[in-house]
């Protein structure tokens, strides 16, 4: 590979010549690897010369000291593929990525430690980052342009000016990158306001802006901080993300964003966020919390330039026309044959209640007090708290202290009440009569840790405080961690009760694999698994009504889908459609 030089002076310079960055965001970890080439070919065909990606720490180090860089997480393969296609790469290896991703990409195991402080000069946090970087950077270093790779820029932290003003922390992050072999120029990215640019700036690092409108106005503010350097929008927001219950799929203003893109390329440089959004597979959606919890849906379509499934949009054509004013558009042959398939309706084949298979899926931990997920070395999914009601004569009031995010509560394995978000902050009135020794079960769902703002530090899931019954604290619990990474242990012969959380199995045959979309109409709330792969969450409140299934996840012959549903709201079937429906 031929070595090169990338520099920041009054502009960006590649091997001594001015270089206009026309980039699009593609997150390798939100797309099956079999489709990386397709998405990157389409990016190149639009006229882009660069691809940008975040690096999700929580995926690469799912357990402390255990690292994963294979399959969907093979970042080296993704970067080298971009190079093969003639694209340069911007890498954002911040420990924090935001990205509407679970906990902003921070690993949940950080919260196992009492008193953990994030994104500041707090030694246990910094030490965890050091250990992560000592494994990540040996992968990234040889991929830099100075070593013959395509990586031309790296970013220090991410939108730090929105979060805090610990400049010593930012200097530490920068030095960590340098100490681990970062040689390409470094940038920061912040909101285009004086306050955030001032809080997030770093000596010797180019500040860039993140915004989706008013390009001239935003660049004028940014110009005050670049010390004569180039102007770049590192996140040109072309759409927005959806959260459950938001009333409909969010869409950007195409006419305005097309004008903004034109102005951006006239004045400086751009990274389009997102070129393709992809999917929050598994339990990886993030959440926001302002007045209430707003967990993001499984689709990260973002109203991006390509759809979640990689389809062209009107936006693609409009942007390609604009980009064609600033560079010669290449001829690209798309090499991946992608079909969409309707596999029809699938009937429920087998079903079993969660309560019947608890001991197959989890070994309970006993404690006087309820313990949150993180203290039990669990990061994602559900956790069930169980205790016997031996002294209580009845139940009239219940309150869960320090609980996140949603709790389905059962007495004698019958539904009592479901509490969500702010309902968990107060005492609930209930009515339950039972015989002494009846079981109280509390199934708590982690709906996605907050990925932005000060509430990140209070994102322990499950129950971190206590359970109060009729005014007194109730002790002695058994806790079942349910990350659902072992569903092969399910025994569907163990029995089923209507109205309780349960698992539902569907089987179908595939002759030719095609992209398809799981329609969960008639089902309440839960998550779906295809051949053991966690497709993500569903919820009847929408806006998303179908889950994306990329063809490479299907096998020729027999395929198996398992739905887990928490609210006792089910239908006799699901269907696999050829078209998406994200609201």
């Amino acid at each position: 590979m031929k070595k090169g030089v990338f520099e920041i002076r009054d502009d960006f310079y590649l091997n001594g010549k001015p270089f206009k960055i026309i980039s699009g965001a593609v997150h390798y970890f939100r797309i099956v690897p079999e489709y990386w080439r397709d998405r990157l070919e389409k990016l190149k065909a639009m006229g882009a010369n660069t691809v940008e990606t975040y690096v999700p720490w929580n995926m690469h180090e799912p357990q402390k000291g255990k690292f994963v860089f294979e399959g969907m997480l093979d970042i080296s393969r993704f970067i080298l593929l971009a190079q093969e296609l003639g694209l340069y790469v911007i890498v954002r290896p911040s420990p924090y990525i935001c990205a509407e991703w679970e906990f902003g990409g921070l690993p949940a195991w950080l919260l196992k430690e009492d008193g953990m402080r994030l994104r500041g000069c707090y030694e246990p946090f910094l030490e965890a980052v050091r250990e992560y970087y000592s494994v990540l950077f040996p992968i990234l270093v040889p991929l830099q342009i100075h070593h013959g790779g395509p990586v031309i820029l790296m970013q220090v932290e991410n939108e730090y000016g929105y979060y805090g003003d610990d400049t010593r922390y930012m200097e530490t992050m920068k030095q960590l990158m340098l100490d681990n072999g970062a040689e390409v120029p470094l940038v920061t990215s912040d909101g285009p306001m004086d306050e955030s640019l001032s809080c997030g700036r770093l000596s010797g690092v180019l500040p860039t802006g993140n915004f989706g409108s008013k390009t001239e106005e935003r660049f004028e503010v940014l110009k005050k901080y670049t010390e004569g350097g180039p102007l770049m929008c590192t996140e040109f927001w072309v759409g927005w993300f959806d959260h459950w219950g938001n009333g409909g799929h969010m869409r950007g203003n195409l006419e305005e964003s097309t004008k903004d893109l034109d102005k951006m390329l006239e004045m400086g440089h751009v990274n389009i966020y997102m070129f393709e959004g992809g999917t929050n597979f598994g339990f990886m959606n993030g959440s926001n919390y302002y007045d209430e919890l707003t967990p993001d849906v499984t689709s990260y379509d973002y109203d991006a330039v390509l759809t979640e499934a990689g389809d062209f949009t009107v936006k693609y054509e409009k942007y390609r026309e604009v980009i064609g004013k600033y560079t010669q558009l290449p001829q690209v042959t798309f090499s991946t044959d992608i079909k969409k398939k309707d596999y029809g309706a699938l009937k429920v084949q087998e079903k079993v209640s969660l309560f019947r298979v608890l001991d197959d899926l989890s070994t309970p931990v006993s404690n006087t007090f309820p313990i949150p997920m993180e203290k039990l070395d669990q990061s994602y999914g559900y956790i069930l708290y169980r205790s016997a009601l031996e002294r209580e004569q009845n139940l009239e009031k219940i309150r869960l202290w320090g609980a996140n995010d949603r709790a389905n509560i059962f007495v004698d394995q019958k539904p009592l009440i479901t509490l969500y978000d702010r309902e968990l902050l107060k005492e609930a009135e209930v009515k339950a009569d039972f015989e002494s020794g009846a079981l109280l079960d509390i199934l708590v769902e982690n709906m996605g840790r907050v990925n932005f703002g000060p509430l990140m530090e209070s994102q322990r899931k499950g129950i971190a405080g206590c359970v109060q019954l009729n005014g007194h604290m109730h002790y002695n619990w058994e806790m079942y961690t349910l990350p659902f990474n072992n569903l092969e242990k399910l025994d569907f012969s163990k029995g089923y009760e209507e109205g309780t959380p349960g698992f539902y199995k569907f089987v179908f045959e595939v002759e030719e694999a095609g992209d398809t979309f799981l329609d969960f109409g008639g089902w309440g709330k839960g998550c779906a698994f295809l051949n053991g792969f966690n497709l993500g969450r569903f919820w009847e409140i929408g806006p998303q009504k179908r889950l994306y299934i990329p063809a490479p996840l299907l096998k020729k012959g027999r395929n198996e889908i398992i739905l887990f549903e928490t609210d006792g709201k089910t239908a006799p079937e699901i269907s696999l459609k050829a078209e998406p429906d994200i609201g």
Side-chain angles (χ1 to χ4, degrees), residues 374-436:
E374 298 78 7
K375 297 273 189 179
L376 296 171
D377 296 317
Q378 179 188 1
S379 294
Y380 313 112
Y382 303 77
I383 182 168
L384 186 132
Y385 298 85
R386 169 169 284 181
S387 185
L389 298 170
E390 292 172 336
R391 290 176 172 78
E392 295 79 8
Q393 309 302 308
N394 58 15
L395 258 187
E396 296 177 349
K397 294 178 180 179
I398 187 167
R399 180 168 178 180
L400 313 185
W401 291 81
N404 290 320
D405 295 319
R406 189 174 190 262
N408 294 76
I409 304 174
F410 306 84
V411 172
D412 205 18
Q413 299 188 0
K414 297 180 180 64
L416 178 69
I417 192 171
T418 298
L419 301 173
Y420 174 54
D421 183 25
R422 302 194 69 79
E423 294 168 339
L424 293 162
L425 299 176
K426 59 190 181 199
E427 193 168 57
E429 294 189 3
V430 294
K431 182 170 176 51
D433 296 309
F434 45 84
E435 294 184 9
S436 179

Side-chain angles (χ1 to χ4, degrees), residues 250-269:
M250 303 290 284
R251 299 191 184 279
N253 184 319
L254 179 56
E255 185 180 347
E256 290 301 316
S257 75
T258 305
K259 290 177 188 171
D260 274 303
L261 176 62
D262 199 350
K263 183 56 70 173
M264 227 166 262
L265 291 173
E266 178 191 317
M267 297 179 70
H269 310 262

Side-chain angles (χ1 to χ4, degrees), residues 4 14 26 137 141 180 191 205 249 276 424 450 560-561:
L14 176 63
V26 178
F137 269 80
V141 165
N180 279 282
V205 175
H249 178 47
E276 189 208 16
L424 293 162
V450 169
E560 179 182 279
I561 288 175

Side-chain angles (χ1 to χ4, degrees), residues 214-278:
K214 302 178 182 174
T215 297
E216 284 184 273
E217 182 183 320
R218 309 301 196 196
F219 271 171
E220 281 304 314
V221 177
L222 181 61
K223 200 179 291 184
K224 294 188 278 183
Y225 297 86
T226 58
E227 298 179 354
L231 299 172
M232 179 166 176
C233 180
T234 299
E235 287 187 20
F236 173 40
W237 304 323
V238 301
W240 206 243
F241 51 92
D242 295 329
H243 66 80
W244 292 111
N246 73 348
H249 178 47
M250 303 290 284
R251 299 191 184 279
N253 184 319
L254 179 56
E255 185 180 347
E256 290 301 316
S257 75
T258 305
K259 290 177 188 171
D260 274 303
L261 176 62
D262 199 350
K263 183 56 70 173
M264 227 166 262
L265 291 173
E266 178 191 317
M267 297 179 70
H269 310 262
V270 68
N271 175 55
I272 295 166
Y273 191 99
M274 296 289 299
F275 174 70
E276 189 208 16

Side-chain angles (χ1 to χ4, degrees), residues 274-382:
M274 296 289 299
F275 174 70
E276 189 208 16
T279 310
N280 299 317
F281 290 119
F283 298 124
M284 286 299 115
N285 66 280
S287 299
N288 280 286
Y289 206 116
Y290 296 102
D291 298 324
E292 60 182 355
L293 181 71
T294 52
D296 299 323
V297 303
T298 298
S299 170
Y300 195 60
D301 179 88
Y302 205 86
D303 195 32
V305 185
L306 297 184
T307 69
E308 177 185 13
D311 296 323
F312 292 110
T313 64
V314 176
K315 190 172 290 182
Y316 184 96
E317 296 306 322
K318 295 285 188 186
Y319 284 12
R320 191 169 184 270
E321 285 173 23
V322 169
I323 291 168
K325 293 167 58 176
Y326 298 90
T327 187
Q328 187 171 347
L329 297 172
Q331 292 296 312
V332 178
T333 302
F334 302 127
S335 58
T336 309
D337 182 25
I338 300 176
K339 298 182 174 71
K340 291 190 172 58
K341 291 280 190 180
D342 187 328
Y343 294 101
L346 311 180
K347 300 284 185 189
V348 175
Q349 300 287 310
E350 297 181 86
K351 53 191 176 181
V352 66
S353 287
L354 171 66
F355 296 132
R356 297 292 185 95
V357 292
L358 260 184
D359 289 305
D360 298 334
L361 296 176
S362 184
T363 302
V365 174
S366 299
N367 199 285
T368 303
F369 309 97
I371 300 172
M373 276 185 186
E374 298 78 7
K375 297 273 189 179
L376 296 171
D377 296 317
Q378 179 188 1
S379 294
Y380 313 112
Y382 303 77

